[in-house]
Amino acid sequence: MKTICLYFQIHQPFRLRRYRFFDIGNDHYYYDDFQNEEIFRKVANMCYIPANRAMIEMIKKSGGQFKVAFSISGVALEQMEIYAPELIDTFKELLGLGGVELLTETYAHSLSSLGDYNEFRTQVRMHTEKIQSVFGVTPKVFRNTELIYSDDISEIVYDMGFRGMLTEGAKHILGWKSPNYVYASAIRPDLKLLLKNDRFSEDLSLRFADYSWTEYPLTADKYMSWIASTAETEKIINIFLNYEVLGSLHSSSTGIFDFFKALPQFASQKNITFSLPSELFENHEVVDQVAVPYPMSWVDEEKDCSSWLGNVLQQEAFREIKNISERVRLCSDRRLLQDWLYLQSSDHFYYMNTKHYNLFSPYDNPYDAFNNYMNVLSDFILRVEAQYPSSIENEELNSLLTTIRNQGNEIEQLEKMLKKYESLPEKQLVTVI
């Protein structure tokens, strides 16, 4: 019996306002609140909320047979809380029906796994805690930003306690192999992997509304027939998508919602089920290991990381923010730490992409994106320098901060003891002394 693992990514960055050179050192607020609210509410109304209602309907009508997984970045969750709290309620309703799994990723949807492993671990922990606080569940499966994966990343993910991870089924990695099985990391064989099926995923993400496509229009019946006709031994079909496929990338007028609502019915007719990632990892054996010496992702034809770090602009920006990471992690200033997270979202680097036109970029061109980001980053670095001067080495600074914290704890304990003694009767106080 074949089974479909349907997974959706949900992410929205905090977009930066136009930050001029003369703002550096004078204005420490970096975000375009109007644009962020407008875009998030628009996407929520066009996509997230109607898509969640469709998923709720699909689960109920299928008697719980339909199942779906999501990863929601921490910064997207923050915007839900600010701009669309009703959206969180619909996710809670979905979770209450069963058959829904939430995955862990980096909090800021960042590129930290490509060069700052300490930050990577920190953000994964933060994201897990955010999911726990909002939804009351603890994710078991990991999914990195944009499905970025490599052997080195798999080792860190395994060491953090995960035993299952989602990633891309890139042809340059698989070769003749099929993505329709459970695989494992080449250096951590106990870390199981689900690999995206490019064909069936991109039929929906790229080709669904393409009038020039020879298979247009795509119906749920036809789609399930294709899946049913795959090799008998290939039991798992991993369909990994951006949630904005429903209603945003493909408007409701294309029939995308009706298509999805019909999937459970035609899947049942073809004897095809739906499964969650954790169920597949638990119930299916690994058929082979995959070696990925260089990071891959699910973006563009190359399936690499060049969309974020492929040119000198992106590399310079990434190098600058990475250089101050250790010093930022020493601080306890909540505003600095918040800005630090928001500035790490991969979108800022994607806007600097010179490979192709970026439809979703708020900038006129990649160079404007770079200049604006570097202006913001320059001001941020000045704020970090003001609190933690670069003239002091990181180890020395860490030692000083530890001493200060210890002294603060000691003073707090002494103050508690003083208050305790002050509350004692005079006779008892004499006895104590």
Side-chain angles (χ1 to χ4, degrees), residues 119-172:
E119 180 66 21
F120 180 56
R121 293 185 183 93
T122 299
Q123 287 197 30
V124 172
R125 184 181 67 252
M126 286 182 64
H127 187 265
T128 300
E129 292 170 353
K130 184 69 174 179
I131 295 294
Q132 289 171 333
S133 67
V134 176
F135 299 110
V137 298
T138 302
K140 300 177 182 178
V141 176
F142 183 74
R143 171 264 181 201
N144 198 14
T145 303
E146 305 295 333
L147 295 187
I148 292 173
Y149 176 87
S150 70
D151 292 337
D152 290 341
I153 292 171
S154 74
E155 185 165 23
I156 299 170
V157 171
Y158 178 85
D159 290 342
M160 287 189 291
F162 294 98
R163 295 298 177 265
M165 182 174 176
L166 274 56
T167 187
E168 169 64 35
K171 291 180 182 178
H172 70 275

Side-chain angles (χ1 to χ4, degrees), residues 23-72:
D23 291 326
I24 300 173
N26 298 311
D27 189 340
H28 306 316
Y29 193 76
Y30 309 137
Y31 312 104
D32 189 333
D33 292 333
F34 176 80
Q35 186 182 49
N36 286 324
E37 179 175 2
E38 181 184 40
I39 291 175
F40 196 90
R41 288 188 183 277
K42 179 181 178 181
V43 176
N45 291 327
M46 290 176 57
C47 169
Y48 300 152
I49 293 176
N52 276 4
R53 288 175 182 152
M55 298 297 153
I56 290 169
E57 180 182 331
M58 292 162 71
I59 292 174
K60 288 181 177 179
K61 282 191 173 182
S62 67
Q65 295 305 302
F66 174 73
K67 299 177 181 181
V68 61
F70 297 93
S71 69
I72 312 171

